Amino acid sequence: MNVVNEMHNTIAVPNSSRGRERLARILEAATELFLRDGYGATSIDSILERSGGSKATLYSYFPAKDDLFRAVVDEVVSNASQPQLDTSRDIRTVLTEFAVQRLETVFSERHRALLRLIIAERERFPDLAKMYYERWPRLARNLLHDYFGALKRQNLLEIDTADEAAEFFIGMVLHQWYIEILLLGAEVPSSDAIRRRAERCVAYFLFAFERKRSAAPA
């Protein structure tokens, strides 16, 4: 993970390779500790102890602990890739790959730690909760909205609205597991279980909404 490159929009990246290495070590240490221990239990001293940096260096980039925390959350949210939804490919394959990618990412240890952190600090950092929503749940729904809208215009799906279809699909794929894992601490599903669920959800969705082709005349 090239943390420094991901952070170019929020802090001044050092010109020297040595400076970039120092900054990367600070960000990597802060990311590990914030995600593991939370905001309150993570001190600047613990970050410096793990990274081997100095307070002078850290404060030259992040004047306050809040600034470092915002940079960490921004990096983690920005670093995850988003799937591509290509209308020229087979619909079942595209939606299955999308569902698998979303499930594997959301249920990864790193993402679950990030979500717990954002929820725990929502009152202190409401802007970070909004940023997470915009870059993850809303972005995924917007991608599906555009994809389903294009399929509807091509007469490949029979849906009332693309927005409603996106809501149905995301809810079917994620909701039950999401609630059980976040609230009940349920076991994270295996890769095989994730793929089976993705395939079933896509099959149900297409059964309900894929335009049925008329039989060819005898």
PDB file of all heavy atoms in Angstrom, residues 113-150:
ATOM      1  N   ALA A 113     -13.174  -3.029  10.741  1.00  0.00           N
ATOM      2  CA  ALA A 113     -12.539  -2.169  11.740  1.00  0.00           C
ATOM      3  C   ALA A 113     -12.792  -0.702  11.429  1.00  0.00           C
ATOM      4  O   ALA A 113     -13.062   0.109  12.330  1.00  0.00           O
ATOM      5  CB  ALA A 113     -11.038  -2.453  11.791  1.00  0.00           C
ATOM      6  N   LEU A 114     -12.705  -0.341  10.140  1.00  0.00           N
ATOM      7  CA  LEU A 114     -12.971   1.043   9.736  1.00  0.00           C
ATOM      8  C   LEU A 114     -14.402   1.434  10.051  1.00  0.00           C
ATOM      9  O   LEU A 114     -14.658   2.517  10.600  1.00  0.00           O
ATOM     10  CB  LEU A 114     -12.709   1.206   8.237  1.00  0.00           C
ATOM     11  CG  LEU A 114     -13.126   2.551   7.636  1.00  0.00           C
ATOM     12  CD1 LEU A 114     -12.276   3.669   8.201  1.00  0.00           C
ATOM     13  CD2 LEU A 114     -13.025   2.508   6.115  1.00  0.00           C
ATOM     14  N   LEU A 115     -15.349   0.574   9.744  1.00  0.00           N
ATOM     15  CA  LEU A 115     -16.751   0.905   9.972  1.00  0.00           C
ATOM     16  C   LEU A 115     -17.039   1.066  11.464  1.00  0.00           C
ATOM     17  O   LEU A 115     -17.754   1.990  11.876  1.00  0.00           O
ATOM     18  CB  LEU A 115     -17.653  -0.172   9.367  1.00  0.00           C
ATOM     19  CG  LEU A 115     -19.154   0.118   9.377  1.00  0.00           C
ATOM     20  CD1 LEU A 115     -19.456   1.454   8.723  1.00  0.00           C
ATOM     21  CD2 LEU A 115     -19.911  -0.998   8.679  1.00  0.00           C
ATOM     22  N   ARG A 116     -16.493   0.164  12.294  1.00  0.00           N
ATOM     23  CA  ARG A 116     -16.670   0.300  13.745  1.00  0.00           C
ATOM     24  C   ARG A 116     -16.102   1.631  14.231  1.00  0.00           C
ATOM     25  O   ARG A 116     -16.691   2.307  15.080  1.00  0.00           O
ATOM     26  CB  ARG A 116     -15.987  -0.854  14.469  1.00  0.00           C
ATOM     27  CG  ARG A 116     -16.696  -2.193  14.331  1.00  0.00           C
ATOM     28  CD  ARG A 116     -16.149  -3.200  15.330  1.00  0.00           C
ATOM     29  NE  ARG A 116     -14.730  -3.464  15.117  1.00  0.00           N
ATOM     30  CZ  ARG A 116     -14.266  -4.450  14.357  1.00  0.00           C
ATOM     31  NH1 ARG A 116     -15.105  -5.262  13.712  1.00  0.00           N
ATOM     32  NH2 ARG A 116     -12.966  -4.638  14.227  1.00  0.00           N
ATOM     33  N   LEU A 117     -14.948   2.018  13.691  1.00  0.00           N
ATOM     34  CA  LEU A 117     -14.304   3.260  14.089  1.00  0.00           C
ATOM     35  C   LEU A 117     -15.144   4.471  13.696  1.00  0.00           C
ATOM     36  O   LEU A 117     -15.326   5.405  14.492  1.00  0.00           O
ATOM     37  CB  LEU A 117     -12.927   3.333  13.432  1.00  0.00           C
ATOM     38  CG  LEU A 117     -12.034   4.520  13.784  1.00  0.00           C
ATOM     39  CD1 LEU A 117     -11.708   4.531  15.271  1.00  0.00           C
ATOM     40  CD2 LEU A 117     -10.746   4.467  12.956  1.00  0.00           C
ATOM     41  N   ILE A 118     -15.667   4.465  12.487  1.00  0.00           N
ATOM     42  CA  ILE A 118     -16.473   5.592  12.011  1.00  0.00           C
ATOM     43  C   ILE A 118     -17.753   5.720  12.833  1.00  0.00           C
ATOM     44  O   ILE A 118     -18.161   6.829  13.211  1.00  0.00           O
ATOM     45  CB  ILE A 118     -16.787   5.421  10.518  1.00  0.00           C
ATOM     46  CG1 ILE A 118     -15.520   5.667   9.691  1.00  0.00           C
ATOM     47  CG2 ILE A 118     -17.897   6.374  10.077  1.00  0.00           C
ATOM     48  CD1 ILE A 118     -15.679   5.388   8.231  1.00  0.00           C
ATOM     49  N   ILE A 119     -18.391   4.599  13.131  1.00  0.00           N
ATOM     50  CA  ILE A 119     -19.615   4.633  13.931  1.00  0.00           C
ATOM     51  C   ILE A 119     -19.313   5.134  15.346  1.00  0.00           C
ATOM     52  O   ILE A 119     -20.044   5.969  15.899  1.00  0.00           O
ATOM     53  CB  ILE A 119     -20.261   3.245  13.977  1.00  0.00           C
ATOM     54  CG1 ILE A 119     -20.801   2.871  12.589  1.00  0.00           C
ATOM     55  CG2 ILE A 119     -21.398   3.199  15.010  1.00  0.00           C
ATOM     56  CD1 ILE A 119     -21.289   1.442  12.489  1.00  0.00           C
ATOM     57  N   ALA A 120     -18.216   4.652  15.939  1.00  0.00           N
ATOM     58  CA  ALA A 120     -17.860   5.047  17.299  1.00  0.00           C
ATOM     59  C   ALA A 120     -17.549   6.539  17.395  1.00  0.00           C
ATOM     60  O   ALA A 120     -17.840   7.179  18.419  1.00  0.00           O
ATOM     61  CB  ALA A 120     -16.659   4.235  17.779  1.00  0.00           C
ATOM     62  N   GLU A 121     -16.988   7.121  16.334  1.00  0.00           N
ATOM     63  CA  GLU A 121     -16.568   8.522  16.365  1.00  0.00           C
ATOM     64  C   GLU A 121     -17.470   9.436  15.544  1.00  0.00           C
ATOM     65  O   GLU A 121     -17.085  10.558  15.219  1.00  0.00           O
ATOM     66  CB  GLU A 121     -15.121   8.633  15.866  1.00  0.00           C
ATOM     67  CG  GLU A 121     -14.111   7.864  16.679  1.00  0.00           C
ATOM     68  CD  GLU A 121     -14.027   8.327  18.129  1.00  0.00           C
ATOM     69  OE1 GLU A 121     -14.356   9.507  18.388  1.00  0.00           O
ATOM     70  OE2 GLU A 121     -13.629   7.521  18.988  1.00  0.00           O
ATOM     71  N   ARG A 122     -18.668   8.964  15.241  1.00  0.00           N
ATOM     72  CA  ARG A 122     -19.558   9.741  14.365  1.00  0.00           C
ATOM     73  C   ARG A 122     -19.909  11.106  14.942  1.00  0.00           C
ATOM     74  O   ARG A 122     -19.990  12.100  14.211  1.00  0.00           O
ATOM     75  CB  ARG A 122     -20.838   8.947  14.103  1.00  0.00           C
ATOM     76  CG  ARG A 122     -21.799   9.633  13.133  1.00  0.00           C
ATOM     77  CD  ARG A 122     -23.022   8.768  12.936  1.00  0.00           C
ATOM     78  NE  ARG A 122     -23.654   8.472  14.211  1.00  0.00           N
ATOM     79  CZ  ARG A 122     -24.593   7.529  14.390  1.00  0.00           C
ATOM     80  NH1 ARG A 122     -24.959   6.789  13.367  1.00  0.00           N
ATOM     81  NH2 ARG A 122     -25.125   7.325  15.567  1.00  0.00           N
ATOM     82  N   GLU A 123     -20.129  11.186  16.255  1.00  0.00           N
ATOM     83  CA  GLU A 123     -20.494  12.469  16.856  1.00  0.00           C
ATOM     84  C   GLU A 123     -19.332  13.462  16.809  1.00  0.00           C
ATOM     85  O   GLU A 123     -19.532  14.649  16.610  1.00  0.00           O
ATOM     86  CB  GLU A 123     -20.943  12.252  18.301  1.00  0.00           C
ATOM     87  CG  GLU A 123     -22.190  11.383  18.448  1.00  0.00           C
ATOM     88  CD  GLU A 123     -23.382  11.965  17.713  1.00  0.00           C
ATOM     89  OE1 GLU A 123     -23.548  13.210  17.755  1.00  0.00           O
ATOM     90  OE2 GLU A 123     -24.146  11.196  17.106  1.00  0.00           O
ATOM     91  N   ARG A 124     -18.126  12.961  16.989  1.00  0.00           N
ATOM     92  CA  ARG A 124     -16.937  13.822  16.972  1.00  0.00           C
ATOM     93  C   ARG A 124     -16.535  14.203  15.551  1.00  0.00           C
ATOM     94  O   ARG A 124     -16.069  15.310  15.299  1.00  0.00           O
ATOM     95  CB  ARG A 124     -15.761  13.112  17.658  1.00  0.00           C
ATOM     96  CG  ARG A 124     -14.547  14.011  17.886  1.00  0.00           C
ATOM     97  CD  ARG A 124     -13.304  13.172  18.205  1.00  0.00           C
ATOM     98  NE  ARG A 124     -13.489  12.338  19.352  1.00  0.00           N
ATOM     99  CZ  ARG A 124     -13.094  12.645  20.595  1.00  0.00           C
ATOM    100  NH1 ARG A 124     -12.515  13.807  20.808  1.00  0.00           N
ATOM    101  NH2 ARG A 124     -13.286  11.798  21.582  1.00  0.00           N
ATOM    102  N   PHE A 125     -16.725  13.256  14.616  1.00  0.00           N
ATOM    103  CA  PHE A 125     -16.302  13.471  13.228  1.00  0.00           C
ATOM    104  C   PHE A 125     -17.452  13.154  12.262  1.00  0.00           C
ATOM    105  O   PHE A 125     -17.362  12.198  11.483  1.00  0.00           O
ATOM    106  CB  PHE A 125     -15.101  12.585  12.895  1.00  0.00           C
ATOM    107  CG  PHE A 125     -13.887  12.829  13.737  1.00  0.00           C
ATOM    108  CD1 PHE A 125     -13.612  12.007  14.824  1.00  0.00           C
ATOM    109  CD2 PHE A 125     -13.019  13.871  13.454  1.00  0.00           C
ATOM    110  CE1 PHE A 125     -12.483  12.218  15.604  1.00  0.00           C
ATOM    111  CE2 PHE A 125     -11.889  14.092  14.227  1.00  0.00           C
ATOM    112  CZ  PHE A 125     -11.627  13.265  15.314  1.00  0.00           C
ATOM    113  N   PRO A 126     -18.514  13.947  12.278  1.00  0.00           N
ATOM    114  CA  PRO A 126     -19.644  13.651  11.377  1.00  0.00           C
ATOM    115  C   PRO A 126     -19.260  13.738   9.905  1.00  0.00           C
ATOM    116  O   PRO A 126     -19.851  13.071   9.064  1.00  0.00           O
ATOM    117  CB  PRO A 126     -20.691  14.718  11.751  1.00  0.00           C
ATOM    118  CG  PRO A 126     -19.888  15.823  12.384  1.00  0.00           C
ATOM    119  CD  PRO A 126     -18.759  15.147  13.098  1.00  0.00           C
ATOM    120  N   ASP A 127     -18.260  14.552   9.586  1.00  0.00           N
ATOM    121  CA  ASP A 127     -17.833  14.673   8.194  1.00  0.00           C
ATOM    122  C   ASP A 127     -17.210  13.386   7.681  1.00  0.00           C
ATOM    123  O   ASP A 127     -17.331  13.051   6.500  1.00  0.00           O
ATOM    124  CB  ASP A 127     -16.853  15.829   8.038  1.00  0.00           C
ATOM    125  CG  ASP A 127     -15.629  15.677   8.943  1.00  0.00           C
ATOM    126  OD1 ASP A 127     -15.820  15.413  10.145  1.00  0.00           O
ATOM    127  OD2 ASP A 127     -14.492  15.850   8.452  1.00  0.00           O
ATOM    128  N   LEU A 128     -16.555  12.622   8.574  1.00  0.00           N
ATOM    129  CA  LEU A 128     -15.948  11.369   8.150  1.00  0.00           C
ATOM    130  C   LEU A 128     -17.019  10.312   7.897  1.00  0.00           C
ATOM    131  O   LEU A 128     -16.885   9.498   6.977  1.00  0.00           O
ATOM    132  CB  LEU A 128     -14.952  10.875   9.201  1.00  0.00           C
ATOM    133  CG  LEU A 128     -13.733  11.766   9.418  1.00  0.00           C
ATOM    134  CD1 LEU A 128     -12.780  11.123  10.416  1.00  0.00           C
ATOM    135  CD2 LEU A 128     -13.018  12.049   8.100  1.00  0.00           C
ATOM    136  N   ALA A 129     -18.066  10.318   8.711  1.00  0.00           N
ATOM    137  CA  ALA A 129     -19.171   9.396   8.466  1.00  0.00           C
ATOM    138  C   ALA A 129     -19.829   9.698   7.125  1.00  0.00           C
ATOM    139  O   ALA A 129     -20.162   8.782   6.357  1.00  0.00           O
ATOM    140  CB  ALA A 129     -20.198   9.495   9.599  1.00  0.00           C
ATOM    141  N   LYS A 130     -19.979  10.980   6.829  1.00  0.00           N
ATOM    142  CA  LYS A 130     -20.569  11.361   5.545  1.00  0.00           C
ATOM    143  C   LYS A 130     -19.650  10.978   4.386  1.00  0.00           C
ATOM    144  O   LYS A 130     -20.117  10.501   3.344  1.00  0.00           O
ATOM    145  CB  LYS A 130     -20.843  12.866   5.517  1.00  0.00           C
ATOM    146  CG  LYS A 130     -21.518  13.334   4.240  1.00  0.00           C
ATOM    147  CD  LYS A 130     -21.825  14.819   4.280  1.00  0.00           C
ATOM    148  CE  LYS A 130     -22.504  15.255   2.985  1.00  0.00           C
ATOM    149  NZ  LYS A 130     -22.795  16.714   2.987  1.00  0.00           N
ATOM    150  N   MET A 131     -18.338  11.177   4.577  1.00  0.00           N
ATOM    151  CA  MET A 131     -17.386  10.814   3.531  1.00  0.00           C
ATOM    152  C   MET A 131     -17.453   9.317   3.238  1.00  0.00           C
ATOM    153  O   MET A 131     -17.451   8.898   2.076  1.00  0.00           O
ATOM    154  CB  MET A 131     -15.973  11.198   3.946  1.00  0.00           C
ATOM    155  CG  MET A 131     -14.902  10.832   2.925  1.00  0.00           C
ATOM    156  SD  MET A 131     -13.225  11.229   3.484  1.00  0.00           S
ATOM    157  CE  MET A 131     -13.017  10.004   4.779  1.00  0.00           C
ATOM    158  N   TYR A 132     -17.496   8.508   4.295  1.00  0.00           N
ATOM    159  CA  TYR A 132     -17.595   7.061   4.114  1.00  0.00           C
ATOM    160  C   TYR A 132     -18.868   6.713   3.347  1.00  0.00           C
ATOM    161  O   TYR A 132     -18.845   5.906   2.404  1.00  0.00           O
ATOM    162  CB  TYR A 132     -17.597   6.357   5.465  1.00  0.00           C
ATOM    163  CG  TYR A 132     -17.894   4.876   5.360  1.00  0.00           C
ATOM    164  CD1 TYR A 132     -16.873   3.967   5.091  1.00  0.00           C
ATOM    165  CD2 TYR A 132     -19.186   4.386   5.500  1.00  0.00           C
ATOM    166  CE1 TYR A 132     -17.136   2.610   4.972  1.00  0.00           C
ATOM    167  CE2 TYR A 132     -19.462   3.040   5.381  1.00  0.00           C
ATOM    168  CZ  TYR A 132     -18.438   2.156   5.122  1.00  0.00           C
ATOM    169  OH  TYR A 132     -18.708   0.820   4.999  1.00  0.00           O
ATOM    170  N   TYR A 133     -19.976   7.316   3.737  1.00  0.00           N
ATOM    171  CA  TYR A 133     -21.248   7.036   3.060  1.00  0.00           C
ATOM    172  C   TYR A 133     -21.183   7.404   1.591  1.00  0.00           C
ATOM    173  O   TYR A 133     -21.643   6.631   0.725  1.00  0.00           O
ATOM    174  CB  TYR A 133     -22.376   7.808   3.748  1.00  0.00           C
ATOM    175  CG  TYR A 133     -23.689   7.716   3.008  1.00  0.00           C
ATOM    176  CD1 TYR A 133     -24.461   6.567   3.077  1.00  0.00           C
ATOM    177  CD2 TYR A 133     -24.147   8.779   2.227  1.00  0.00           C
ATOM    178  CE1 TYR A 133     -25.657   6.474   2.389  1.00  0.00           C
ATOM    179  CE2 TYR A 133     -25.336   8.694   1.537  1.00  0.00           C
ATOM    180  CZ  TYR A 133     -26.098   7.532   1.612  1.00  0.00           C
ATOM    181  OH  TYR A 133     -27.267   7.438   0.914  1.00  0.00           O
ATOM    182  N   GLU A 134     -20.623   8.556   1.287  1.00  0.00           N
ATOM    183  CA  GLU A 134     -20.574   9.018  -0.098  1.00  0.00           C
ATOM    184  C   GLU A 134     -19.668   8.125  -0.957  1.00  0.00           C
ATOM    185  O   GLU A 134     -19.991   7.826  -2.106  1.00  0.00           O
ATOM    186  CB  GLU A 134     -20.060  10.466  -0.159  1.00  0.00           C
ATOM    187  CG  GLU A 134     -20.988  11.494   0.463  1.00  0.00           C
ATOM    188  CD  GLU A 134     -22.233  11.738  -0.373  1.00  0.00           C
ATOM    189  OE1 GLU A 134     -22.220  11.403  -1.564  1.00  0.00           O
ATOM    190  OE2 GLU A 134     -23.220  12.270   0.185  1.00  0.00           O
ATOM    191  N   ARG A 135     -18.548   7.676  -0.393  1.00  0.00           N
ATOM    192  CA  ARG A 135     -17.564   6.932  -1.185  1.00  0.00           C
ATOM    193  C   ARG A 135     -17.813   5.432  -1.199  1.00  0.00           C
ATOM    194  O   ARG A 135     -17.196   4.723  -2.003  1.00  0.00           O
ATOM    195  CB  ARG A 135     -16.158   7.212  -0.651  1.00  0.00           C
ATOM    196  CG  ARG A 135     -15.733   8.653  -0.806  1.00  0.00           C
ATOM    197  CD  ARG A 135     -14.263   8.793  -0.475  1.00  0.00           C
ATOM    198  NE  ARG A 135     -13.864  10.189  -0.352  1.00  0.00           N
ATOM    199  CZ  ARG A 135     -12.657  10.574   0.016  1.00  0.00           C
ATOM    200  NH1 ARG A 135     -11.735   9.652   0.290  1.00  0.00           N
ATOM    201  NH2 ARG A 135     -12.365  11.848   0.127  1.00  0.00           N
ATOM    202  N   TRP A 136     -18.689   4.933  -0.303  1.00  0.00           N
ATOM    203  CA  TRP A 136     -18.941   3.493  -0.285  1.00  0.00           C
ATOM    204  C   TRP A 136     -20.404   3.158  -0.543  1.00  0.00           C
ATOM    205  O   TRP A 136     -20.750   2.826  -1.672  1.00  0.00           O
ATOM    206  CB  TRP A 136     -18.404   2.881   1.018  1.00  0.00           C
ATOM    207  CG  TRP A 136     -17.002   2.435   0.797  1.00  0.00           C
ATOM    208  CD1 TRP A 136     -15.854   3.114   1.063  1.00  0.00           C
ATOM    209  CD2 TRP A 136     -16.604   1.216   0.172  1.00  0.00           C
ATOM    210  NE1 TRP A 136     -14.766   2.395   0.648  1.00  0.00           N
ATOM    211  CE2 TRP A 136     -15.197   1.224   0.112  1.00  0.00           C
ATOM    212  CE3 TRP A 136     -17.296   0.117  -0.318  1.00  0.00           C
ATOM    213  CZ2 TRP A 136     -14.461   0.168  -0.438  1.00  0.00           C
ATOM    214  CZ3 TRP A 136     -16.567  -0.933  -0.855  1.00  0.00           C
ATOM    215  CH2 TRP A 136     -15.177  -0.896  -0.911  1.00  0.00           C
ATOM    216  N   PRO A 137     -21.297   3.238   0.429  1.00  0.00           N
ATOM    217  CA  PRO A 137     -22.680   2.819   0.142  1.00  0.00           C
ATOM    218  C   PRO A 137     -23.323   3.602  -1.004  1.00  0.00           C
ATOM    219  O   PRO A 137     -23.929   3.019  -1.902  1.00  0.00           O
ATOM    220  CB  PRO A 137     -23.406   3.075   1.468  1.00  0.00           C
ATOM    221  CG  PRO A 137     -22.341   3.011   2.500  1.00  0.00           C
ATOM    222  CD  PRO A 137     -21.115   3.590   1.857  1.00  0.00           C
ATOM    223  N   ARG A 138     -23.178   4.914  -0.980  1.00  0.00           N
ATOM    224  CA  ARG A 138     -23.834   5.707  -2.022  1.00  0.00           C
ATOM    225  C   ARG A 138     -23.198   5.492  -3.387  1.00  0.00           C
ATOM    226  O   ARG A 138     -23.895   5.398  -4.398  1.00  0.00           O
ATOM    227  CB  ARG A 138     -23.796   7.189  -1.654  1.00  0.00           C
ATOM    228  CG  ARG A 138     -24.557   8.051  -2.648  1.00  0.00           C
ATOM    229  CD  ARG A 138     -24.756   9.452  -2.150  1.00  0.00           C
ATOM    230  NE  ARG A 138     -25.510  10.245  -3.096  1.00  0.00           N
ATOM    231  CZ  ARG A 138     -25.891  11.488  -2.862  1.00  0.00           C
ATOM    232  NH1 ARG A 138     -25.605  12.071  -1.711  1.00  0.00           N
ATOM    233  NH2 ARG A 138     -26.570  12.155  -3.775  1.00  0.00           N
ATOM    234  N   LEU A 139     -21.865   5.387  -3.415  1.00  0.00           N
ATOM    235  CA  LEU A 139     -21.190   5.170  -4.689  1.00  0.00           C
ATOM    236  C   LEU A 139     -21.586   3.834  -5.296  1.00  0.00           C
ATOM    237  O   LEU A 139     -21.851   3.742  -6.507  1.00  0.00           O
ATOM    238  CB  LEU A 139     -19.673   5.228  -4.494  1.00  0.00           C
ATOM    239  CG  LEU A 139     -18.835   4.966  -5.751  1.00  0.00           C
ATOM    240  CD1 LEU A 139     -19.186   5.956  -6.858  1.00  0.00           C
ATOM    241  CD2 LEU A 139     -17.345   5.033  -5.421  1.00  0.00           C
ATOM    242  N   ALA A 140     -21.642   2.787  -4.472  1.00  0.00           N
ATOM    243  CA  ALA A 140     -22.045   1.468  -4.977  1.00  0.00           C
ATOM    244  C   ALA A 140     -23.461   1.519  -5.535  1.00  0.00           C
ATOM    245  O   ALA A 140     -23.743   0.955  -6.601  1.00  0.00           O
ATOM    246  CB  ALA A 140     -21.959   0.432  -3.866  1.00  0.00           C
ATOM    247  N   ARG A 141     -24.341   2.195  -4.824  1.00  0.00           N
ATOM    248  CA  ARG A 141     -25.722   2.298  -5.301  1.00  0.00           C
ATOM    249  C   ARG A 141     -25.801   3.107  -6.590  1.00  0.00           C
ATOM    250  O   ARG A 141     -26.562   2.767  -7.498  1.00  0.00           O
ATOM    251  CB  ARG A 141     -26.596   2.940  -4.215  1.00  0.00           C
ATOM    252  CG  ARG A 141     -28.067   2.985  -4.562  1.00  0.00           C
ATOM    253  CD  ARG A 141     -28.879   3.267  -3.344  1.00  0.00           C
ATOM    254  NE  ARG A 141     -30.257   3.581  -3.687  1.00  0.00           N
ATOM    255  CZ  ARG A 141     -31.231   3.686  -2.799  1.00  0.00           C
ATOM    256  NH1 ARG A 141     -30.986   3.473  -1.524  1.00  0.00           N
ATOM    257  NH2 ARG A 141     -32.460   3.990  -3.174  1.00  0.00           N
ATOM    258  N   ASN A 142     -25.008   4.164  -6.683  1.00  0.00           N
ATOM    259  CA  ASN A 142     -24.997   4.968  -7.908  1.00  0.00           C
ATOM    260  C   ASN A 142     -24.472   4.170  -9.099  1.00  0.00           C
ATOM    261  O   ASN A 142     -24.974   4.310 -10.223  1.00  0.00           O
ATOM    262  CB  ASN A 142     -24.151   6.222  -7.713  1.00  0.00           C
ATOM    263  CG  ASN A 142     -24.815   7.253  -6.827  1.00  0.00           C
ATOM    264  OD1 ASN A 142     -26.014   7.169  -6.560  1.00  0.00           O
ATOM    265  ND2 ASN A 142     -24.049   8.213  -6.349  1.00  0.00           N
ATOM    266  N   LEU A 143     -23.443   3.346  -8.862  1.00  0.00           N
ATOM    267  CA  LEU A 143     -22.927   2.501  -9.932  1.00  0.00           C
ATOM    268  C   LEU A 143     -24.013   1.554 -10.443  1.00  0.00           C
ATOM    269  O   LEU A 143     -24.200   1.389 -11.655  1.00  0.00           O
ATOM    270  CB  LEU A 143     -21.726   1.693  -9.433  1.00  0.00           C
ATOM    271  CG  LEU A 143     -20.426   2.464  -9.190  1.00  0.00           C
ATOM    272  CD1 LEU A 143     -19.405   1.563  -8.495  1.00  0.00           C
ATOM    273  CD2 LEU A 143     -19.862   2.975 -10.503  1.00  0.00           C
ATOM    274  N   LEU A 144     -24.732   0.930  -9.500  1.00  0.00           N
ATOM    275  CA  LEU A 144     -25.807   0.025  -9.897  1.00  0.00           C
ATOM    276  C   LEU A 144     -26.945   0.785 -10.571  1.00  0.00           C
ATOM    277  O   LEU A 144     -27.537   0.296 -11.538  1.00  0.00           O
ATOM    278  CB  LEU A 144     -26.343  -0.722  -8.673  1.00  0.00           C
ATOM    279  CG  LEU A 144     -25.493  -1.881  -8.174  1.00  0.00           C
ATOM    280  CD1 LEU A 144     -26.058  -2.415  -6.862  1.00  0.00           C
ATOM    281  CD2 LEU A 144     -25.420  -3.005  -9.208  1.00  0.00           C
ATOM    282  N   HIS A 145     -27.265   1.957 -10.045  1.00  0.00           N
ATOM    283  CA  HIS A 145     -28.327   2.781 -10.645  1.00  0.00           C
ATOM    284  C   HIS A 145     -28.026   3.047 -12.118  1.00  0.00           C
ATOM    285  O   HIS A 145     -28.886   2.859 -12.995  1.00  0.00           O
ATOM    286  CB  HIS A 145     -28.442   4.097  -9.882  1.00  0.00           C
ATOM    287  CG  HIS A 145     -29.358   5.094 -10.521  1.00  0.00           C
ATOM    288  ND1 HIS A 145     -28.955   5.914 -11.554  1.00  0.00           N
ATOM    289  CD2 HIS A 145     -30.666   5.391 -10.294  1.00  0.00           C
ATOM    290  CE1 HIS A 145     -29.960   6.678 -11.928  1.00  0.00           C
ATOM    291  NE2 HIS A 145     -31.011   6.384 -11.185  1.00  0.00           N
ATOM    292  N   ASP A 146     -26.803   3.475 -12.404  1.00  0.00           N
ATOM    293  CA  ASP A 146     -26.437   3.776 -13.787  1.00  0.00           C
ATOM    294  C   ASP A 146     -26.453   2.510 -14.648  1.00  0.00           C
ATOM    295  O   ASP A 146     -26.889   2.546 -15.814  1.00  0.00           O
ATOM    296  CB  ASP A 146     -25.054   4.428 -13.836  1.00  0.00           C
ATOM    297  CG  ASP A 146     -25.047   5.801 -13.185  1.00  0.00           C
ATOM    298  OD1 ASP A 146     -26.123   6.373 -12.952  1.00  0.00           O
ATOM    299  OD2 ASP A 146     -23.936   6.295 -12.883  1.00  0.00           O
ATOM    300  N   TYR A 147     -25.969   1.417 -14.081  1.00  0.00           N
ATOM    301  CA  TYR A 147     -25.919   0.154 -14.814  1.00  0.00           C
ATOM    302  C   TYR A 147     -27.327  -0.345 -15.129  1.00  0.00           C
ATOM    303  O   TYR A 147     -27.643  -0.684 -16.286  1.00  0.00           O
ATOM    304  CB  TYR A 147     -25.158  -0.874 -13.983  1.00  0.00           C
ATOM    305  CG  TYR A 147     -25.041  -2.239 -14.615  1.00  0.00           C
ATOM    306  CD1 TYR A 147     -24.313  -2.443 -15.786  1.00  0.00           C
ATOM    307  CD2 TYR A 147     -25.650  -3.348 -14.020  1.00  0.00           C
ATOM    308  CE1 TYR A 147     -24.187  -3.698 -16.356  1.00  0.00           C
ATOM    309  CE2 TYR A 147     -25.532  -4.609 -14.580  1.00  0.00           C
ATOM    310  CZ  TYR A 147     -24.803  -4.784 -15.747  1.00  0.00           C
ATOM    311  OH  TYR A 147     -24.688  -6.026 -16.311  1.00  0.00           O
ATOM    312  N   PHE A 148     -28.184  -0.374 -14.123  1.00  0.00           N
ATOM    313  CA  PHE A 148     -29.549  -0.856 -14.342  1.00  0.00           C
ATOM    314  C   PHE A 148     -30.327   0.080 -15.261  1.00  0.00           C
ATOM    315  O   PHE A 148     -31.158  -0.361 -16.063  1.00  0.00           O
ATOM    316  CB  PHE A 148     -30.280  -1.001 -13.006  1.00  0.00           C
ATOM    317  CG  PHE A 148     -29.770  -2.132 -12.154  1.00  0.00           C
ATOM    318  CD1 PHE A 148     -29.821  -2.054 -10.769  1.00  0.00           C
ATOM    319  CD2 PHE A 148     -29.233  -3.274 -12.721  1.00  0.00           C
ATOM    320  CE1 PHE A 148     -29.356  -3.092  -9.978  1.00  0.00           C
ATOM    321  CE2 PHE A 148     -28.762  -4.315 -11.949  1.00  0.00           C
ATOM    322  CZ  PHE A 148     -28.824  -4.224 -10.565  1.00  0.00           C
ATOM    323  N   GLY A 149     -30.060   1.379 -15.149  1.00  0.00           N
ATOM    324  CA  GLY A 149     -30.709   2.319 -16.053  1.00  0.00           C
ATOM    325  C   GLY A 149     -30.331   2.058 -17.500  1.00  0.00           C
ATOM    326  O   GLY A 149     -31.180   2.096 -18.397  1.00  0.00           O
ATOM    327  N   ALA A 150     -29.053   1.770 -17.740  1.00  0.00           N
ATOM    328  CA  ALA A 150     -28.596   1.474 -19.099  1.00  0.00           C
ATOM    329  C   ALA A 150     -29.223   0.182 -19.610  1.00  0.00           C
ATOM    330  O   ALA A 150     -29.641   0.092 -20.774  1.00  0.00           O
ATOM    331  CB  ALA A 150     -27.075   1.373 -19.125  1.00  0.00           C
TER     332      ALA A 150
END
